[in-house]
Amino acid sequence: MSSSPRDQHILPLHGSNPWQLTLLLTAAAAAGGLVVAAAIPRLRDRPNRRRAEDGRDDVQSAAPTGDASGYASAIGNTPLIELPSLVSSMNLSGGHRLFCKMECLNPGGTGKDRVASAMILHAERTGRLPPPAVGAETTITGDSPSRRLEVRLSLLGAVVSLPAPPSRGVVVEGTSGSTGISLAALAAARGHGCVIALPDDCSGDKRAVLEGMGAEVVVVPVASISNPRHYVNVAREIARVINAQYGGDGVRAAFMDQFENLANVTEHARSTGPEIWRQVRRAIGDSAGIDAFVMSAGTGGTLSGVTLALRHLSPRPVRMVLADPPGSSLHGAVAYGAAYAPEQAERVLRRSRADTVVEGVGLDRTTANFRAGAASADAAIRVTDQDTVDAAHALLGTEGLFVGSSSAMNVAAAMQVLREMDAEDAGAGGKVVVTVICDVGGRHLTRFWNRDFIVGRGLRWPGDMNRKKGDGQEMGEQQL
């Protein structure tokens, strides 16, 4: 099939085979360079095909879920909402619009559903996990009684025990919570076991959800990635030991490696980015466009994937902005080409290399997923913890949205970008800024939405301004 001259200029490879994009991303990530997303559908020239029954976006952009049944069938095509009341409260010159991609409305309550599905399917297709097998009987011999896997971890001086899975496959990952929740749900649906290594500074709410979903949770102290006891390294070791102990029984454990696994960025370039592009155009008209996309990075997969997609799909430049919490190195990587933050000095280091109330984002290194696109962002913003807390309460007060810490930080950064654009182009017309709400506040009740925790970190709890001084009685609603 031949390609037009325009296609040859935009795309070094033609077609939409996932392996083509994966190879291209792998080469570029290794070189630290910028990639053009070869596998992004040519949606700029393709008419929108809405599903009449519910008005949702094209089914083609749903996550790659094999049979696409049950939990997996609900992944992707999340709504895009506007935040007019929040923007109005900012008292800008007028006409600006702020949109949020509601990734928290995936079935697992997080955009990590997309990545978890892509990584599990890729592991099954490449043989690192066995095929799915729900409801099958499993017999494990060796040392394990009662059809359980007993994994001895000399690294931690502990034993991890989990039921022998029907498929004989075990999904293993190191995560701060959200990816683990998605993996646990999808692993259960496909008959795989699931082991999650979790840092001990995560909220207890996330751990409770993981355990409730049947995952075996191994909590480890916060440590640098160079430490063998870092949660990512512990997860890698768990997978290795399972394969060593039970490989003879046909058990296969796959370390998902979300930070370096390019199925991550590939999926966001394939689905999340094109969804945002179509939904914004539907909301504001085909002749308009996106002025800025703003969000934080954990693995970097979402920001990189959306960056690749929007740079391919948009006929005019979209300003890509990284939002970064205190202590993270990623701001320096974008702004100065050096992954370093002042908080990393040992004399001011507390518990982790990104000492912040925000969970799941910020990092002390760049990853393959980050280098694939996010590293070439146009700008980076440092967001203080206080600004994140204030944004969370402002969202609740103006829009009724109860969001998690990383989502609040995304919105705080998007508000900052809107203010900067308003000051730079006063009277030049409204700007369109897009960010992502990736999780809900219900998973952050013990930390981010706990007044004692926030005040104990030296921050101001916005609700305190509504109390009478000294007696703790409510004074009524804050004037907005």
Side-chain angles (χ1 to χ4, degrees):
M1 181 176 179
S2 62
S3 58
S4 68
R6 182 178 68 109
D7 289 335
Q8 291 172 350
H9 175 71
I10 295 173
L11 305 176
L13 293 173
H14 186 79
S16 57
N17 292 327
W19 67 266
Q20 288 184 312
L21 180 55
T22 300
L23 290 175
L24 193 62
L25 289 170
T26 301
L34 175 65
V35 187
V36 177
I40 299 171
R42 295 166 57 197
L43 296 172
R44 189 161 49 198
D45 303 320
R46 182 175 300 170
N48 290 326
R49 298 189 300 275
R50 304 187 189 187
R51 281 189 278 172
E53 67 272 20
D54 60 7
R56 298 205 323 169
D57 223 342
D58 297 352
V59 71
Q60 68 181 19
S61 64
T65 54
D67 57 7
S69 61
Y71 183 105
S73 66
I75 297 174
N77 289 309
T78 54
L80 183 83
I81 67 168
E82 189 171 2
L83 306 180
S85 298
L86 181 66
V87 172
S88 177
S89 73
M90 295 170 65
N91 297 317
L92 303 177
S93 62
H96 304 302
R97 304 180 74 175
L98 175 56
F99 291 92
C100 291
K101 179 68 167 165
M102 297 295 287
E103 287 294 274
C104 62
L105 296 182
N106 279 295
T110 169
K112 297 298 187 179
D113 279 347
R114 298 179 190 260
V115 176
S117 176
M119 292 192 300
I120 288 177
L121 284 174
H122 183 262
E124 289 175 352
R125 289 167 181 160
T126 56
R128 294 192 304 122
L129 281 175
V134 180
E137 288 288 331
T138 304
T139 301
I140 299 297
T141 57
D143 301 338
S144 182
S146 305
R147 294 176 179 156
R148 296 189 67 84
L149 304 181
E150 303 286 340
V151 185
R152 298 172 180 83
L153 293 176
S154 58
L155 180 68
L156 301 177
V159 175
V160 178
S161 176
L162 69 153
S167 72
R168 297 177 181 264
V170 182
V171 171
V172 186
E173 181 61 305
T175 168
S176 58
S178 294
T179 304
I181 291 169
S182 298
L183 288 170
L186 287 159
R190 303 181 77 79
H192 303 316
C194 185
V195 182
I196 300 297
L198 198 70
D200 65 1
D201 64 347
C202 282
S203 71
D205 309 287
K206 291 180 180 178
R207 179 177 179 180
V209 171
L210 283 164
E211 291 176 337
M213 297 178 76
E216 178 66 25
V217 179
V218 180
V219 179
V220 299
V222 172
S224 166
I225 188 64
S226 61
N227 190 321
R229 291 178 175 82
H230 184 278
Y231 63 94
V232 170
N233 297 328
V234 169
R236 183 184 291 106
E237 177 66 6
I238 290 171
R240 186 194 69 77
V241 173
I242 290 175
N243 287 327
Q245 286 186 209
Y246 296 104
D249 284 311
V251 174
R252 279 175 270 172
F255 171 49
M256 294 289 100
D257 199 11
Q258 60 171 324
F259 291 93
E260 308 298 332
N261 189 333
L262 291 172
N264 183 341
V265 60
T266 301
E267 179 54 31
H268 287 297
R270 189 196 70 84
S271 66
T272 316
E275 283 177 31
I276 289 171
W277 174 250
R278 289 195 303 272
Q279 290 170 324
V280 170
R281 284 166 64 88
R282 187 173 299 166
I284 65 179
D286 288 348
S287 61
I290 300 171
D291 293 290
F293 178 79
V294 187
M295 78 169 296
S296 52
T299 65
T302 308
L303 181 56
S304 285
V306 173
T307 294
L308 296 173
L310 293 184
R311 283 180 174 166
H312 169 58
L313 294 168
S314 177
R316 61 188 177 95
V318 178
R319 187 181 182 194
M320 308 304 296
V321 182
L322 166 73
D324 214 30
S328 171
S329 302
L330 299 182
H331 175 276
V334 170
Y336 311 113
Y340 176 77
E343 292 88 345
Q344 290 179 2
E346 290 298 328
R347 60 187 175 83
V348 297
L349 191 67
R350 293 192 213 164
R351 297 192 61 213
S352 69
R353 303 303 293 267
D355 197 12
T356 172
V357 300
V358 182
E359 294 183 26
V361 296
L363 213 59
D364 60 356
R365 66 193 189 280
T366 63
T367 66
N369 281 291
F370 185 85
R371 292 191 296 272
S376 65
D378 301 293
I381 293 175
R382 286 199 185 279
V383 183
T384 68
D385 280 350
Q386 188 63 62
D387 284 346
T388 295
V389 171
D390 290 344
H393 287 255
L395 265 177
L396 184 59
T398 60
E399 303 286 356
L401 294 174
F402 183 52
V403 305
S405 57
S406 58
S407 299
M409 193 181 78
N410 288 345
V411 172
M415 293 169 68
Q416 183 174 331
V417 169
L418 266 183
R419 291 190 186 98
E420 292 174 356
M421 288 184 163
D422 184 70
E424 293 169 359
D425 302 310
K431 300 295 184 181
V432 175
V433 175
V434 181
T435 189
V436 176
I437 291 182
C438 37
D439 60 354
V440 295
R443 291 179 180 170
H444 299 261
L445 298 178
T446 58
R447 285 171 55 91
F448 186 69
W449 281 103
N450 182 309
R451 179 188 178 278
D452 291 342
F453 175 81
I454 293 298
V455 173
R457 295 296 292 263
L459 302 172
R460 183 185 69 255
W461 184 257
D464 286 350
M465 68 181 66
N466 293 331
R467 299 176 186 270
K468 289 182 180 179
K469 186 175 181 180
D471 65 7
Q473 299 296 313
E474 297 296 335
M475 295 178 62
E477 296 299 321
Q478 180 181 355
Q479 297 296 315
L480 295 175

